[in-house]
Coordinates of all heavy atoms in Angstrom, one line a residue:
M1 N 0.8 -1.2 0.0 CA 0.0 0.0 0.0 C 0.9 1.2 0.0 O 1.7 1.4 0.9 CB -0.9 0.0 1.2 CG -1.9 1.1 1.3 SD -3.1 0.9 2.7 CE -4.2 -0.3 2.1
K2 N 0.7 2.1 -1.0 CA 1.6 3.3 -1.1 C 1.1 4.3 -0.1 O -0.1 4.7 -0.1 CB 1.5 3.8 -2.5 CG 2.6 4.7 -2.9 CD 2.7 5.1 -4.3 CE 3.7 6.1 -4.5 NZ 3.7 6.7 -5.9
T3 N 2.0 4.7 0.8 CA 1.6 5.5 2.0 C 2.3 6.9 2.0 O 3.5 6.9 1.8 CB 1.8 4.7 3.3 OG1 1.1 3.5 3.2 CG2 1.3 5.5 4.5
L4 N 1.5 7.9 2.4 CA 2.1 9.2 2.6 C 1.7 9.7 4.0 O 0.6 9.6 4.4 CB 1.5 10.2 1.5 CG 1.8 11.7 1.6 CD1 3.3 11.9 1.3 CD2 0.9 12.5 0.7
I5 N 2.7 10.3 4.7 CA 2.4 10.9 6.0 C 2.8 12.4 5.9 O 3.9 12.7 5.6 CB 3.2 10.2 7.1 CG1 2.8 8.7 7.2 CG2 3.0 10.9 8.4 CD1 3.6 7.9 8.3
I6 N 1.8 13.2 6.1 CA 2.0 14.6 6.1 C 1.9 15.1 7.6 O 1.0 14.8 8.3 CB 0.9 15.3 5.3 CG1 0.7 14.7 4.0 CG2 1.1 16.8 5.2 CD1 -0.7 15.1 3.3
Y7 N 3.0 15.7 8.0 CA 3.1 16.1 9.4 C 3.7 17.4 9.6 O 4.5 17.9 8.8 CB 3.9 15.0 10.2 CG 5.4 15.2 10.0 CD1 6.2 15.8 10.9 CD2 6.0 14.7 8.8 CE1 7.6 16.0 10.7 CE2 7.4 14.9 8.6 CZ 8.1 15.5 9.6 OH 9.5 15.7 9.3
Q8 N 3.4 18.0 10.7 CA 4.1 19.3 11.1 C 4.6 19.1 12.6 O 3.9 18.5 13.4 CB 3.1 20.4 11.1 CG 3.7 21.8 11.4 CD 4.8 22.1 10.4 OE1 5.9 21.7 10.5 NE2 4.4 22.9 9.4
S9 N 5.8 19.5 12.8 CA 6.4 19.3 14.1 C 7.3 20.5 14.4 O 8.4 20.6 13.8 CB 7.2 18.0 14.1 OG 7.7 17.7 15.4
I10 N 6.9 21.4 15.2 CA 7.6 22.7 15.4 C 8.2 23.0 16.8 O 9.0 23.8 16.9 CB 6.8 23.9 14.9 CG1 5.5 23.9 15.7 CG2 6.5 23.8 13.4 CD1 4.8 25.2 15.6
H11 N 7.6 22.3 17.8 CA 8.0 22.7 19.1 C 9.2 21.9 19.7 O 10.2 22.5 19.9 CB 6.7 22.5 20.0 CG 6.9 23.2 21.4 ND1 6.4 22.6 22.5 CD2 7.4 24.4 21.7 CE1 6.7 23.4 23.5 NE2 7.3 24.5 23.1
H12 N 9.0 20.6 19.8 CA 10.1 19.8 20.4 C 10.4 18.6 19.4 O 11.0 17.6 19.9 CB 9.7 19.2 21.7 CG 9.6 20.2 22.8 ND1 10.7 21.0 23.2 CD2 8.7 20.5 23.7 CE1 10.4 21.8 24.2 NE2 9.2 21.5 24.5
D13 N 9.9 18.7 18.2 CA 10.1 17.5 17.3 C 9.4 16.3 17.7 O 9.8 15.2 17.3 CB 11.6 17.3 17.0 CG 12.3 18.4 16.2 OD1 11.5 19.2 15.5 OD2 13.5 18.6 16.3
N14 N 8.5 16.4 18.7 CA 7.8 15.2 19.2 C 7.1 14.4 18.1 O 7.2 13.2 17.9 CB 6.8 15.6 20.3 CG 7.5 16.1 21.5 OD1 8.6 15.8 21.8 ND2 6.8 16.9 22.3
T15 N 6.3 15.2 17.3 CA 5.5 14.5 16.2 C 6.4 13.9 15.2 O 6.1 12.9 14.6 CB 4.6 15.6 15.6 OG1 3.9 16.3 16.7 CG2 3.5 14.9 14.7
E16 N 7.5 14.6 14.9 CA 8.5 14.1 13.9 C 9.0 12.7 14.3 O 9.1 11.8 13.5 CB 9.6 15.1 13.7 CG 10.6 14.6 12.6 CD 11.5 15.7 12.1 OE1 12.5 16.0 12.8 OE2 11.2 16.3 11.1
K17 N 9.3 12.5 15.6 CA 9.8 11.3 16.1 C 8.8 10.2 15.8 O 9.1 9.1 15.3 CB 10.1 11.3 17.6 CG 11.3 12.1 17.9 CD 11.5 12.2 19.4 CE 12.5 13.4 19.7 NZ 12.2 14.0 21.0
I18 N 7.5 10.4 16.1 CA 6.5 9.5 15.9 C 6.3 9.2 14.4 O 6.1 8.1 14.0 CB 5.1 10.0 16.5 CG1 5.3 10.3 18.0 CG2 4.0 9.0 16.3 CD1 5.6 9.1 18.9
A19 N 6.3 10.3 13.6 CA 6.0 10.2 12.2 C 7.1 9.3 11.6 O 6.9 8.5 10.7 CB 6.0 11.5 11.6
K20 N 8.4 9.5 12.0 CA 9.5 8.7 11.4 C 9.4 7.2 11.7 O 9.7 6.4 10.9 CB 10.8 9.3 11.9 CG 11.2 10.6 11.2 CD 12.6 11.1 11.6 CE 13.0 12.2 10.8 NZ 14.3 12.9 11.2
V21 N 8.9 6.9 12.9 CA 8.8 5.5 13.3 C 7.7 4.9 12.4 O 7.8 3.8 11.9 CB 8.5 5.3 14.8 CG1 8.1 3.9 15.1 CG2 9.7 5.8 15.6
M22 N 6.5 5.6 12.3 CA 5.4 5.1 11.5 C 5.9 4.9 10.0 O 5.5 3.9 9.4 CB 4.2 6.0 11.6 CG 3.6 5.9 13.0 SD 1.9 6.6 13.0 CE 2.3 8.3 12.8
A23 N 6.6 5.9 9.5 CA 7.0 5.9 8.1 C 8.0 4.7 7.9 O 7.9 4.1 6.8 CB 7.7 7.2 7.8
N24 N 8.8 4.4 8.9 CA 9.7 3.3 8.8 C 8.9 2.0 8.6 O 9.2 1.1 7.8 CB 10.6 3.3 10.0 CG 11.8 2.4 9.8 OD1 12.3 2.3 8.6 ND2 12.4 1.9 10.8
V25 N 7.9 1.8 9.5 CA 7.1 0.6 9.5 C 6.3 0.5 8.2 O 6.2 -0.6 7.6 CB 6.2 0.5 10.8 CG1 5.2 -0.7 10.7 CG2 7.1 0.4 12.0
L26 N 5.7 1.6 7.8 CA 4.7 1.6 6.7 C 5.4 1.8 5.4 O 4.8 1.8 4.3 CB 3.7 2.7 6.9 CG 2.8 2.5 8.1 CD1 2.0 3.8 8.3 CD2 1.9 1.3 8.0
E27 N 6.7 2.0 5.4 CA 7.5 2.4 4.2 C 6.8 3.6 3.5 O 6.6 3.6 2.3 CB 7.6 1.2 3.3 CG 8.4 0.0 3.9 CD 8.5 -1.2 3.0 OE1 8.1 -1.1 1.9 OE2 9.1 -2.2 3.5
A28 N 6.6 4.6 4.3 CA 5.8 5.7 3.8 C 6.7 6.9 3.4 O 7.8 7.0 4.0 CB 4.8 6.2 4.9
K29 N 6.2 7.7 2.6 CA 6.9 9.0 2.3 C 6.5 10.0 3.3 O 5.3 10.1 3.7 CB 6.6 9.5 0.9 CG 7.2 10.8 0.5 CD 6.9 11.2 -0.9 CE 7.4 12.6 -1.2 NZ 8.8 12.8 -1.2
L30 N 7.4 10.7 3.9 CA 7.2 11.8 4.9 C 7.3 13.1 4.3 O 8.3 13.4 3.6 CB 8.2 11.7 6.0 CG 8.0 10.8 7.2 CD1 9.2 10.9 8.1 CD2 6.7 11.2 7.9
V31 N 6.3 14.0 4.6 CA 6.4 15.3 4.0 C 5.7 16.3 4.9 O 4.8 16.0 5.6 CB 5.8 15.4 2.6 CG1 4.3 15.1 2.6 CG2 6.1 16.7 1.8
K32 N 6.2 17.6 5.0 CA 5.6 18.6 5.8 C 4.6 19.4 4.9 O 4.8 19.4 3.6 CB 6.6 19.6 6.3 CG 7.5 18.9 7.4 CD 8.4 19.9 8.1 CE 9.1 19.2 9.3 NZ 9.9 20.1 10.1
P33 N 3.6 20.0 5.4 CA 2.6 20.6 4.6 C 3.2 21.6 3.6 O 2.7 21.7 2.5 CB 1.7 21.4 5.6 CG 1.9 20.6 6.9 CD 3.3 20.1 6.9
Q34 N 4.2 22.4 4.0 CA 4.7 23.4 3.2 C 5.6 22.8 2.0 O 5.9 23.5 1.1 CB 5.6 24.4 4.0 CG 6.8 23.9 4.7 CD 6.5 23.4 6.1 OE1 5.4 23.0 6.4 NE2 7.6 23.4 6.9
E35 N 5.9 21.5 2.2 CA 6.7 20.8 1.1 C 5.8 20.1 0.1 O 6.3 19.6 -0.9 CB 7.7 19.9 1.7 CG 8.7 20.5 2.7 CD 9.3 19.4 3.6 OE1 8.8 18.3 3.7 OE2 10.2 19.8 4.3
L36 N 4.5 19.9 0.5 CA 3.7 19.0 -0.2 C 3.3 19.6 -1.6 O 2.8 20.7 -1.7 CB 2.4 18.7 0.6 CG 1.3 17.8 0.0 CD1 1.8 16.4 -0.2 CD2 0.0 17.9 0.7
D37 N 3.4 18.7 -2.6 CA 2.8 19.0 -3.9 C 1.4 18.4 -3.9 O 1.3 17.1 -4.0 CB 3.7 18.5 -5.0 CG 3.1 18.7 -6.4 OD1 1.9 19.1 -6.5 OD2 3.8 18.4 -7.4
I38 N 0.4 19.2 -3.8 CA -0.9 18.6 -3.5 C -1.4 17.7 -4.7 O -2.1 16.7 -4.4 CB -1.9 19.8 -3.3 CG1 -1.8 20.3 -1.9 CG2 -3.4 19.4 -3.7 CD1 -2.8 21.3 -1.5
S39 N -0.8 17.9 -5.9 CA -1.3 17.1 -7.0 C -0.8 15.7 -6.9 O -1.2 14.8 -7.6 CB -0.8 17.7 -8.3 OG 0.6 17.7 -8.4
T40 N 0.2 15.4 -6.0 CA 0.8 14.0 -5.8 C 0.0 13.2 -4.8 O 0.2 12.0 -4.8 CB 2.2 14.1 -5.3 OG1 2.3 14.7 -4.0 CG2 3.1 14.9 -6.3
V41 N -0.9 13.8 -4.1 CA -1.7 13.1 -3.1 C -2.5 11.9 -3.7 O -2.6 10.8 -3.1 CB -2.6 14.0 -2.2 CG1 -3.5 13.3 -1.3 CG2 -1.7 15.0 -1.4
A42 N -3.0 12.1 -4.9 CA -3.8 11.1 -5.5 C -3.0 9.8 -5.8 O -3.6 8.8 -6.0 CB -4.4 11.7 -6.8
E43 N -1.7 9.9 -5.8 CA -0.9 8.7 -6.0 C -0.9 7.7 -4.9 O -0.4 6.6 -5.0 CB 0.6 9.1 -6.3 CG 0.7 10.0 -7.5 CD 2.2 10.6 -7.6 OE1 3.0 10.1 -6.8 OE2 2.3 11.6 -8.3
Y44 N -1.4 8.1 -3.7 CA -1.2 7.3 -2.5 C -2.5 6.6 -2.1 O -3.6 7.1 -2.4 CB -0.7 8.2 -1.3 CG 0.7 8.7 -1.6 CD1 0.9 9.9 -2.3 CD2 1.8 7.9 -1.2 CE1 2.2 10.3 -2.6 CE2 3.1 8.4 -1.5 CZ 3.3 9.5 -2.1 OH 4.5 10.0 -2.4
D45 N -2.4 5.4 -1.5 CA -3.6 4.7 -1.1 C -3.9 5.0 0.4 O -5.1 4.9 0.8 CB -3.2 3.1 -1.1 CG -2.7 2.7 -2.4 OD1 -3.4 2.9 -3.5 OD2 -1.5 2.2 -2.5
L46 N -2.9 5.3 1.2 CA -3.1 5.6 2.6 C -2.4 6.9 2.9 O -1.2 7.0 2.6 CB -2.5 4.4 3.4 CG -2.5 4.6 4.9 CD1 -3.9 4.6 5.5 CD2 -1.7 3.4 5.6
I47 N -3.1 7.8 3.6 CA -2.5 9.1 3.9 C -2.7 9.4 5.4 O -3.8 9.3 5.9 CB -3.2 10.2 3.1 CG1 -3.1 9.8 1.6 CG2 -2.6 11.5 3.3 CD1 -4.2 10.5 0.7
G48 N -1.6 9.7 6.1 CA -1.7 10.0 7.5 C -1.4 11.5 7.7 O -0.7 12.2 6.9
F49 N -2.1 12.1 8.7 CA -2.0 13.5 9.0 C -1.7 13.7 10.5 O -2.4 13.2 11.3 CB -3.3 14.2 8.7 CG -3.9 14.1 7.3 CD1 -4.7 13.0 6.9 CD2 -3.5 15.0 6.3 CE1 -5.1 12.9 5.6 CE2 -4.0 14.9 5.0 CZ -4.8 13.8 4.7
G50 N -0.6 14.4 10.8 CA -0.3 14.5 12.2 C 0.4 15.8 12.5 O 1.1 16.4 11.7
S51 N 0.3 16.2 13.8 CA 1.0 17.4 14.3 C 0.9 17.4 15.8 O 0.2 16.6 16.4 CB 0.5 18.7 13.8 OG -0.7 19.1 14.4
G52 N 1.6 18.3 16.5 CA 1.3 18.6 17.9 C 0.0 19.3 18.0 O -0.6 19.7 17.0
I53 N -0.5 19.3 19.2 CA -1.8 20.0 19.5 C -1.5 21.3 20.0 O -0.7 21.5 21.0 CB -2.7 19.1 20.5 CG1 -3.1 17.8 19.9 CG2 -3.9 19.9 20.9 CD1 -3.9 17.9 18.6
Y54 N -2.1 22.3 19.4 CA -1.9 23.7 19.8 C -3.3 24.4 20.1 O -4.1 24.4 19.3 CB -1.2 24.5 18.7 CG 0.2 24.0 18.6 CD1 0.5 22.9 17.8 CD2 1.3 24.5 19.4 CE1 1.8 22.4 17.7 CE2 2.5 24.0 19.4 CZ 2.8 22.9 18.5 OH 4.1 22.4 18.5
W55 N -3.5 24.7 21.4 CA -4.7 25.3 21.8 C -5.9 24.4 21.4 O -6.9 24.9 20.8 CB -4.9 26.7 21.4 CG -3.8 27.6 21.9 CD1 -3.8 28.1 23.2 CD2 -2.7 28.1 21.2 NE1 -2.6 28.9 23.3 CE2 -1.9 28.9 22.2 CE3 -2.2 27.9 20.0 CZ2 -0.7 29.5 21.8 CZ3 -1.0 28.5 19.6 CH2 -0.3 29.3 20.6
G56 N -5.7 23.1 21.6 CA -6.8 22.2 21.4 C -7.0 21.7 20.0 O -7.9 21.0 19.7
K57 N -6.1 22.1 19.1 CA -6.3 21.7 17.6 C -4.9 21.3 17.1 O -3.9 21.6 17.6 CB -6.8 22.9 16.8 CG -8.1 23.4 17.1 CD -8.5 24.6 16.2 CE -9.9 25.0 16.5 NZ -10.3 26.2 15.6
H58 N -5.0 20.5 16.0 CA -3.8 20.3 15.2 C -3.3 21.6 14.7 O -3.9 22.6 14.6 CB -4.2 19.3 14.0 CG -4.3 17.9 14.3 ND1 -5.4 17.4 14.9 CD2 -3.4 16.9 14.2 CE1 -5.2 16.1 15.1 NE2 -4.0 15.7 14.7
H59 N -2.0 21.6 14.3 CA -1.3 22.8 13.9 C -2.0 23.4 12.7 O -2.4 22.7 11.8 CB 0.2 22.5 13.6 CG 1.0 23.8 13.5 ND1 1.2 24.4 12.3 CD2 1.5 24.6 14.4 CE1 2.0 25.5 12.5 NE2 2.2 25.6 13.8
K60 N -2.1 24.7 12.7 CA -2.9 25.4 11.6 C -2.3 25.1 10.2 O -3.1 25.1 9.3 CB -3.0 26.9 11.9 CG -1.7 27.7 11.9 CD -1.9 29.1 12.2 CE -0.5 29.8 12.3 NZ -0.6 31.2 12.7
S61 N -1.0 24.9 10.1 CA -0.4 24.7 8.8 C -1.0 23.3 8.2 O -1.2 23.2 7.0 CB 1.1 24.6 8.8 OG 1.5 23.5 9.6
L62 N -1.2 22.4 9.1 CA -1.8 21.1 8.7 C -3.3 21.3 8.3 O -3.7 20.8 7.3 CB -1.6 20.0 9.8 CG -2.0 18.6 9.4 CD1 -0.9 18.0 8.5 CD2 -2.1 17.8 10.7
L63 N -4.0 22.0 9.1 CA -5.4 22.2 8.9 C -5.6 23.0 7.6 O -6.5 22.7 6.8 CB -6.1 22.9 10.1 CG -6.0 22.1 11.4 CD1 -6.6 22.9 12.6 CD2 -6.7 20.8 11.3
N64 N -4.8 24.0 7.4 CA -4.9 24.8 6.2 C -4.6 24.0 4.9 O -5.3 24.2 3.9 CB -3.9 26.0 6.2 CG -4.3 27.1 7.3 OD1 -5.5 27.1 7.7 ND2 -3.4 27.9 7.7
M65 N -3.6 23.1 5.0 CA -3.3 22.2 3.9 C -4.5 21.3 3.6 O -4.9 21.1 2.4 CB -2.1 21.4 4.2 CG -1.6 20.5 3.2 SD -2.4 18.9 3.1 CE -2.1 18.4 4.8
V66 N -5.1 20.7 4.6 CA -6.3 19.8 4.4 C -7.4 20.6 3.8 O -8.1 20.0 2.9 CB -6.7 19.2 5.8 CG1 -8.1 18.6 5.7 CG2 -5.7 18.3 6.3
D67 N -7.6 21.8 4.1 CA -8.7 22.6 3.5 C -8.4 22.8 2.0 O -9.4 22.9 1.2 CB -8.7 24.0 4.1 CG -9.4 24.0 5.5 OD1 -10.1 23.1 5.7 OD2 -9.3 25.0 6.2
K68 N -7.2 22.7 1.6 CA -6.9 22.9 0.1 C -6.9 21.6 -0.7 O -6.8 21.6 -1.9 CB -5.5 23.5 0.0 CG -5.4 25.0 0.4 CD -4.0 25.5 0.3 CE -3.9 26.9 1.0 NZ -2.5 27.2 1.3
L69 N -6.9 20.5 0.1 CA -6.9 19.2 -0.6 C -8.1 18.9 -1.4 O -9.2 19.1 -0.9 CB -6.8 18.1 0.4 CG -5.4 17.5 0.8 CD1 -5.6 16.3 1.8 CD2 -4.6 17.2 -0.3
P70 N -8.0 18.5 -2.7 CA -9.2 18.2 -3.4 C -9.8 16.9 -2.8 O -9.1 16.1 -2.2 CB -8.7 17.9 -4.8 CG -7.3 17.9 -4.8 CD -6.8 18.4 -3.5
S71 N -11.1 16.7 -3.0 CA -11.7 15.5 -2.4 C -11.1 14.2 -3.1 O -10.8 14.3 -4.3 CB -13.2 15.5 -2.5 OG -13.6 15.3 -3.8
Q72 N -10.9 13.2 -2.3 CA -10.2 12.0 -2.8 C -11.2 10.8 -2.8 O -12.1 10.8 -1.9 CB -9.0 11.7 -1.9 CG -8.1 12.8 -1.7 CD -7.1 13.0 -2.9 OE1 -6.7 12.0 -3.5 NE2 -6.8 14.3 -3.2
K73 N -11.0 9.9 -3.7 CA -11.9 8.7 -3.7 C -11.1 7.4 -3.4 O -9.9 7.3 -3.9 CB -12.6 8.5 -5.0 CG -13.7 9.5 -5.2 CD -14.5 9.2 -6.5 CE -15.7 10.2 -6.6 NZ -16.3 10.2 -7.9
N74 N -11.7 6.5 -2.7 CA -11.0 5.2 -2.5 C -9.7 5.3 -1.8 O -8.7 4.6 -2.1 CB -10.9 4.4 -3.8 CG -12.2 4.2 -4.5 OD1 -13.2 3.9 -3.8 ND2 -12.2 4.3 -5.8
K75 N -9.6 6.2 -0.8 CA -8.4 6.3 0.0 C -8.7 5.9 1.4 O -9.8 6.1 1.9 CB -7.9 7.8 0.0 CG -7.7 8.4 -1.3 CD -6.5 8.0 -2.0 CE -6.3 8.7 -3.3 NZ -5.3 8.0 -4.1
K76 N -7.6 5.4 2.1 CA -7.7 5.3 3.5 C -6.9 6.4 4.1 O -5.9 6.8 3.6 CB -7.2 3.9 3.9 CG -8.0 2.7 3.4 CD -7.6 1.4 4.0 CE -8.4 0.3 3.5 NZ -9.9 0.4 3.7
A77 N -7.3 6.8 5.3 CA -6.6 7.9 6.0 C -6.6 7.7 7.5 O -7.4 7.0 8.0 CB -7.3 9.3 5.6
F78 N -5.6 8.3 8.1 CA -5.6 8.3 9.6 C -5.0 9.6 10.1 O -4.3 10.4 9.3 CB -4.7 7.1 10.1 CG -3.3 7.1 9.8 CD1 -2.3 7.7 10.7 CD2 -2.8 6.6 8.6 CE1 -1.0 7.7 10.3 CE2 -1.5 6.6 8.2 CZ -0.5 7.2 9.1
I79 N -5.3 10.0 11.3 CA -4.8 11.2 11.9 C -4.0 10.7 13.2 O -4.3 9.7 13.8 CB -5.8 12.2 12.3 CG1 -6.9 11.7 13.2 CG2 -6.5 12.7 11.0 CD1 -7.8 12.8 13.7
F80 N -3.0 11.5 13.6 CA -2.3 11.3 14.8 C -1.8 12.6 15.4 O -1.8 13.6 14.7 CB -1.2 10.3 14.6 CG -0.1 10.8 13.7 CD1 1.1 11.3 14.3 CD2 -0.2 10.7 12.3 CE1 2.1 11.8 13.4 CE2 0.8 11.2 11.5 CZ 2.0 11.7 12.0
S81 N -1.5 12.6 16.6 CA -1.0 13.9 17.3 C -0.1 13.5 18.5 O -0.2 12.4 19.0 CB -2.2 14.7 17.7 OG -3.0 14.0 18.7
T82 N 0.7 14.5 18.8 CA 1.3 14.5 20.1 C 0.8 15.7 20.9 O 0.4 16.7 20.3 CB 2.9 14.5 20.0 OG1 3.3 15.7 19.4 CG2 3.4 13.3 19.2
S83 N 0.8 15.6 22.2 CA 0.3 16.7 23.0 C 0.8 16.7 24.4 O 1.5 15.7 24.8 CB -1.3 16.5 23.1 OG -1.6 15.4 23.8
G84 N 0.6 17.7 25.1 CA 1.1 17.9 26.5 C 0.1 17.3 27.5 O 0.5 17.0 28.7
V85 N -1.1 17.1 27.1 CA -2.1 16.6 28.1 C -2.4 15.1 27.8 O -2.5 14.7 26.7 CB -3.4 17.4 27.9 CG1 -4.5 16.8 28.8 CG2 -3.2 18.8 28.2
G86 N -2.4 14.4 28.9 CA -2.7 12.9 28.7 C -2.1 12.1 29.8 O -1.1 12.6 30.5
K87 N -2.6 10.9 30.1 CA -2.0 10.1 31.1 C -0.8 9.4 30.7 O -0.7 9.0 29.5 CB -3.1 9.0 31.5 CG -4.2 9.6 32.3 CD -5.1 8.5 32.8 CE -6.2 9.0 33.7 NZ -7.2 8.0 34.0
K88 N 0.2 9.4 31.6 CA 1.4 8.7 31.3 C 1.1 7.2 31.4 O 0.5 6.7 32.3 CB 2.5 9.0 32.3 CG 3.9 8.6 32.0 CD 4.8 9.1 33.0 CE 6.2 8.5 32.8 NZ 7.2 8.9 33.8
V89 N 1.6 6.4 30.4 CA 1.4 5.0 30.4 C 2.6 4.3 31.1 O 3.7 4.6 30.8 CB 1.4 4.4 28.9 CG1 1.2 2.9 28.9 CG2 0.2 5.1 28.1
S90 N 2.3 3.5 32.1 CA 3.4 2.9 32.9 C 3.6 1.5 32.5 O 2.8 0.9 31.8 CB 3.1 3.0 34.4 OG 1.9 2.4 34.6
Ligands
FMN1 C1 1.9 27.3 22.3 C2 1.5 25.8 22.7 C3 0.2 25.4 22.8 C4 -0.1 24.1 23.2 N1 -1.4 23.7 23.3 C5 -1.6 22.4 23.8 C6 -3.0 22.0 24.0 O1 -4.0 22.8 23.8 N2 -3.2 20.8 24.4 C7 -2.2 19.9 24.7 O2 -2.4 18.8 25.1 N3 -0.9 20.2 24.4 C8 -0.6 21.5 24.0 N4 0.7 21.9 23.7 C9 1.8 20.8 23.8 C10 2.1 20.3 22.4 O3 1.0 19.8 21.8 C11 3.2 19.2 22.6 O4 4.4 19.6 23.1 C12 3.4 18.5 21.2 O5 4.1 17.3 21.4 C13 4.3 19.4 20.3 O6 4.5 18.7 19.1 P1 5.8 19.0 18.2 O7 7.0 19.0 19.1 O8 5.8 17.9 17.2 O9 5.6 20.4 17.6 C14 1.0 23.2 23.4 C15 2.3 23.6 23.2 C16 2.6 24.9 22.8 C17 4.0 25.3 22.7

């Protein structure tokens, strides 16, 4: 399955660490929103979207990019995030 992960990571590179591990397992291409050529998204079967959480939302650069994406057919997608709030897993 051809996979693309679009991520933004600006504060502590937390999301980048997660994105790189997922990309390694999924053999995915990794790209930041500002680097993305939107016309290439149609080439992928599975698309992931991730960033840190800022004031309760994904990073605005990711959300702005999603707003510009043309509608896609027959794709699978997932979202992920890193954040400061949450229970520590022991
Ligand atoms: C300005 C700012 C706002 C944030 N707002 C939230 C928030 O609303 N909720 C939360 O759980 N974490 C919040 N965080 C923590 C970040 O989501 C967390 O550090 C995240 O892992 C950063 O991802 P990055 O290092 O990939 O950019 C905030 C951090 C900053 C610097």
Side-chain angles (χ1 to χ4, degrees):
M1 187 175 277
K2 201 171 171 190
T3 305
L4 175 68
I5 297 176
I6 309 164
Y7 76 99
Q8 186 59 277
S9 188
I10 56 162
H11 193 219
H12 288 305
D13 295 335
N14 292 334
T15 311
E16 184 165 78
K17 288 176 198 151
I18 302 298
K20 282 184 171 173
V21 171
M22 289 194 292
N24 197 28
V25 173
L26 297 171
E27 299 180 4
K29 180 176 171 63
L30 268 180
V31 65
K32 294 191 170 184
Q34 63 271 25
E35 301 161 349
L36 177 69
D37 176 351
I38 280 184
S39 67
T40 63
V41 172
E43 298 169 13
Y44 293 89
D45 309 302
L46 173 65
I47 305 157
F49 302 88
S51 76
I53 296 297
Y54 293 88
W55 298 283
K57 294 181 176 180
H58 280 79
H59 193 264
K60 64 183 176 186
S61 63
L62 191 73
L63 298 176
N64 289 342
M65 180 278 301
V66 168
D67 283 343
K68 291 181 191 154
L69 268 187
S71 70
Q72 307 281 324
K73 285 186 178 168
N74 302 319
K75 306 283 180 196
K76 294 190 183 300
F78 64 94
I79 61 171
F80 64 99
S81 60
T82 63
S83 66
V85 176
K87 285 188 180 172
K88 190 175 175 185
V89 179
S90 56

